[in-house]
Amino acid sequence: MAPLVFQGSENFRLRLILATLAGKPIRIENIRSNALDPGLKDYHVSFLRLLEAVTNGSKMEISYTGTTVIYTPGIIIGGSHSHKCPNSKPVGYFVEPLLYLAPFSKKKFSIVFKGITASHNDAGIEAIKWGMMPIMEKFGVRECALHTLKRGSPPNGGGEVHLIVDTLLAQPITIHELERPKIMAIKGVSYSTRVSPSMVNRTIDGARKVLRNIGCEVDITADVWRGENSGNSPGWGITLVSQGQRGWCTFSEVIGDAGEVPEEIGMKAAYSLLEEISNSAVLGRPQLPLAIVFMVIGKEDIGRLRISRAQIDERFIQLLRDIKTVFGIEAFLKDVDDPDSDDFIVTIKGVGFTNTSKKIA
Amino acid sequence: MSTIEQSNKAHRKTKEKNTAKKKLHTQGHNAKAFAVAAPGKMARTMQRSSDVNERKLHVPMINRTPDDDPPPVIVAVVGPPGTGKTTLIKSLIRRLAKTTLSEINGPVTVVSGKRRRLTFIECPADDLNSMVDIAKIADLVLLLIDGNFGFEMETMEFLNIAQHHGMPRVLGVTTHLDLFKSQSTLRASKKRLKHRFWTEVYQGAKLFYLSGVINGRYPDREILNLARFISVMKFRPLKWRNEHPYLLADRFTDLTHPELIEKEGIQVDRKVALYGYLHGTPLPSAPGTRVHIPGIGDFSVAQVEKLPDPCPTPYFQQKLDEYEREKMKEEGSAAKTTTRRRKRLDDKDKIIYAPMSDVGGVLVDKDAVYIDVGKKNEGPSFVPGEEKGEGEKLVTSLQAAEKSIAEKFDGVGLQLFSSSKEIHSVENDDDEEEEDEEEDESNAKNTGRSSLRRPKIHGKSVQEADADVDNLPSDDEEDLSQDREPDTVEIDFGESNRNEKLALETDSEFELSDHDNESWQRNSASKLKALNGDRRRWDIAKLIYMNNISPNDCIKRWKGEDVDEDHESEIEEEEEDFFQKRNGTASNEKDAHEGDLETFKPYFETLDRLMQKWKKTDLLKDRFIGKPAFSNEDDAAAEENNDDDEEVYGDFEDLEAAGDDASEINNNDGESENGEDEANDSDDSFADFDKEEVKDMTVSEEREMNASKKEKLRLQFELEEGENFKEDDPDNEYDTWYELQKAKIAKQLDINNTVYENMTLEQRQKIEGFKAGSYVRIVFEKVPMEFIENFDPKYPIVVGGLLPTEMKFGIINARLRRHRWHKKILKTNDPLVLSLGWRRFQTLPVYTTSDSRTRNRLLKYTPEHTYCTASFYGPLCSPNTPFVGIQIVANSDTTGNFRIAATGIVEEIDATVEIVKKLKLIGYPYKIFKNTAFIKDMFSSAMEVARFEGAQIKTVSGIRGEIKRALSKPEGHFRATFEDKILLSDIVILRSWYPVHIKRFYNPVTSLLMKQKTEWKGVRLTGQIRAEKGIATPLNPDSAYKKVERVTRHFNGLKVPKSIREDLPYKSQIVQMKPRKDKTYLQKRAVVLGGEEKKARAFMHNILTLSKDKENKRKDKKSEQRKERLKKLAKLEESKVQKDKEKKKEYFAKNGRKRSASDDAGGSRKRR
């Protein structure tokens, strides 16, 4: 089979994940070919290694300059591994894509990731735990957990998390979510490593001040890490999650840098959450790819998900295009039957994927 | 008066009837009053009935075949040669379609009922490959059995193949029953056959008996019964077919350009179109879908196209008609046609479609259409001047006409009214058009369609459509052109401000009218509008998949105007900023952020902006449960002081509000008939407006609105049914798990249908694909030319869709068992043809067994009667797929034995598999110390020893030990220690495991490419090669089983030399007795006979001699007599054999004809 060709380093992980799920070879060209240090970065290579560890029979060919990768996927086998993440990317960068693969493997996933546990641009531990895993549960992945063994703030890290996915699904459940779920409560966690616990409290105060006006139940807990479990660098941050009806949620996450005012961090997180809520229908922007991919690899039935107008952005379009290239499936966008709302309903027919790597008894 | 008394007949006395009611009251009490008379019996009956009910259940499975217009039922007619397959099909077709076919080639589709069509296909009797393919696609199998012979090998093979591919419905049909002479034997053999059939299929399976052939057909009554039975038969979805699209090709054309063949020679790969009804799941419409054609190989679909149904059901036609009528009504013209409900099929509805057979003397072959012009020896059918009938005369007279019709009517005008002048044809076409347009404009009220015209798809002939298709540019090209010039629609924004939805609607309409003639008008008009200053509007659904526009552009194009409209000044300002900043780093960063999923966190604006925006939280008020405590900024400032109080208060209010909300929801559930949305939207001004409107509406309108609301709610899967149909709720409305699953499946199917129905045809095809039941044409490129050259319509062509996993190659671990009727066990690495999924391929399986789950150990041969694991290389297939294995498929190589060698099921697929083989290294001790020994002959170098240092070893006698170190001197010798002292005669064994690699061999059975399709030969079996090359089977003499001869060990006595003996101490002196010197009494004595004894002895001797002689004489006589008798018997036997031979000769001369004829020609008289 001739490999599918992609250009550029964008959606690097997602493309590899889609190829693995579909079992189709892909070729990614021109990876940062115009940059001063062209080719794959260390975290790209680290991710490829991780992918190789959790699959069997996959082949990766990286060109001499590192600007081209040919990836022939094997079979997802999972198992117990330990992965050391480079300090250029946090563990969330590696954990997030594995959530797409873990339910469809031969053996259960149990992987320990070592490295940084928080960053500005990538998923933090709480974001995955409280933001992504509830979404997976909606698709039938009930037994999954992310245990924090150690926290490690950037730049030196030293954290450790344990990803466990025990559910092995044949295929995800087909979902139908046509209504915006109402938000019942806002939960949150503010953590700190190697800084004074007062930073955490101040951050929480900042967030509370904003969220008080909403009149909804707000519950933010403090999570202060001390001693050897708190990694190598000082740092703090906050994650807020809005818990909606039927288990849907949206979240926002902000971490603090040196010299920043904790209250402002808290406020920023709160405002981001409000922004995210207003910009989303059922789930937030970071959770959307997961939901869409799980809908695509569902049964050959129609699944429907409501999204807001603001959620149709460049990332969404790129996601759908990549899905079409790999699976040959198009999503169908339709306005909701409601004059007051400018939301859309994404209708996707699953590819009829089944988890073939699982052994029968 | 007469005294005679009238004697009336006395009333009949009522009989003391022992009615059932009475019986109830026998012993003074009403038996019915006590519910359970026999609890044990009742328990048993209940148990039994529930058992029976439970056995009826099947795993709930979604039926992907549409109920609405299902594909034809594939009826395969299978049986050994000469059992009357063709005759049966002909009879059935005559019964169903009133057509007599002279030859059956390829599938024949017939309408059999209002909503059912049947596709008959005859399975070539002598081809195992075809049997495999047929077993995979047939919905119903008519299994023909010769009543005289019973079940033959082909029948048994077919049944076993079918069983492992999902088992279609099987109807047995027994033929040649008229050949039985006596009724009793007929009855007996019928019964025997029936019971044998039941054991093969299931208890109570239906077996039909067809007596004899009359006029080349089976008796009408019997065929009628059979046809009725078929027409009411129900089918269950089979797992494999419910997951894959497939098609039985009933026609094919070679689309290769003739010039190409001429230029590049006949060997050039061909472009082929296959036609047929789709079955199973929908076939994806995207080109490049991978399919497998068993017998040819894997292909990518170059193009799929739905063609008008050549054999539509009356139901479908009726629906079409109704649709037309509705259209007419809408347009205002009252077309009054009354529909009659008929119970029987009209003759015009009895359509037959058999492109490869000759229906009505017309035969559509691979590249031409042949018309049957009658027999050759009859002479020319038409001679000029000698017209045979009125018809021919009519035609010849027509041919004789001097003028064409056009010429005849030249100059004749049309007079509409008697007073008006004649209208002549107009020379200038342009004028006419102008006139038309003028007319259009003048009476614009009743001309022109208000909506799009929907052409009736049915009615165009398949050939016509074909031509169109061939002329059309391919789909890809069209797509490309679309990509280049995306469709846009202009909208007048002066009229409405909230018109996003409207815009989309018009868009979709526009899509439909793409090829309409009028579109240019709208286009030009809109262009004018655009000039006036209105902006373009893009459809996001289309923009998303235009790969030439970058996502960034897509969003801009889509949102551009909307942003402008809403907050013009603000954004414009921002836009300016944006453009200015574009070269700066900040905006670039944002861009990079937006387009890439690599960054997890979405883009947010800066804190200041956010603060600005979220000063007031009312924007989100409807997103939270409970009433938000909206506060002004002043309040917020004030509240900061008493923070805690506020929070407590807020919490309290929140709880209550949540409770309210919940109750509201409950209410909604209860009164779904009324507008349930009202409660939620009550604070909305729009809702109020709605309410007012409701009051104004009439009852019917209200009902309509309610109905639409209800419809909407029905499709809200979870809202209505609760979370997962309230699965965890013990008192939900579903009694059993089974019912719950059924309900879920039904609901999902319902949703699918509704969603699809709401799409336009184009969209639907894109999302859903081509659904089962549609007649499609699939074009394949690069088909080997042998397929065309060696095409034979008798062999079925199946196109099976592939799932993503099935395109990958890897190792399959399967549970496999040798078929119990196959004579030999199977050898590891011997080629085996597997029929797995759609494919038939040869591979080299390795048989293994699991050693208590620690390792997979290689087996040289399959075990006799149990399952083993088979690992082989090949295209992957999802676990739980059953398969059959065949060693030889070529007819010339078969021995007449049962050919199905193995059956199994896929357990697991993987990229690699670990299989080991036991390897025993043997060494001999040559020096033994206490617990240590030096071992030789196990290894050849010290290196090898080093590799095995510390390995466990064992002697034959069971003493365990360990390899210690290599010895320096004799190369390969080593020192080992044992738990006990070993003997020099012991053999030391090192047991190790050697990895076995599976040979990556995959050879698809390309039988359809052969001239002789039954003669496909792949890699030969090991045994075959040895036999042909004359190689003896290698045999290690040590492996041979020999008789174990245990020699009893003989120990010589201990001899101590004299010199030593003397030196021994007294205690150890060997005690020996001296030998005896004088003779014993017996040795000394001598006996002499004499007197009486001597006489007696002589007398006895004489007597014995005499009797012996007598005996000998008698024996001789007897043996002579025996010989005579044997001679006689031999003579008798010889004459008997002679007689038998004659009898047989006579019998087979008379009766044995059928078998010999069929062996020659493969069928009965049909080929002659």
Side-chain angles (χ1 to χ4, degrees), chain B residues 1045-1057:
Chain B
E1045 282 176 17
R1046 303 214 185 271
V1047 192
T1048 44
R1049 290 181 80 173
H1050 178 74
F1051 297 100
N1052 288 326
L1054 185 70
K1055 269 195 178 153
V1056 184

Side-chain angles (χ1 to χ4, degrees), chain A residues 27 35 38 42 71 128 138 160 184 205-206 241 291 295 354 359:
Chain A
R27 178 193 172 94
D42 58 346
Y71 171 64
I128 289 170
K138 295 297 289 181
E160 213 172 293
M184 301 187 292
D205 281 349
V241 183
M295 282 168 82
T354 41
K359 188 180 178 176

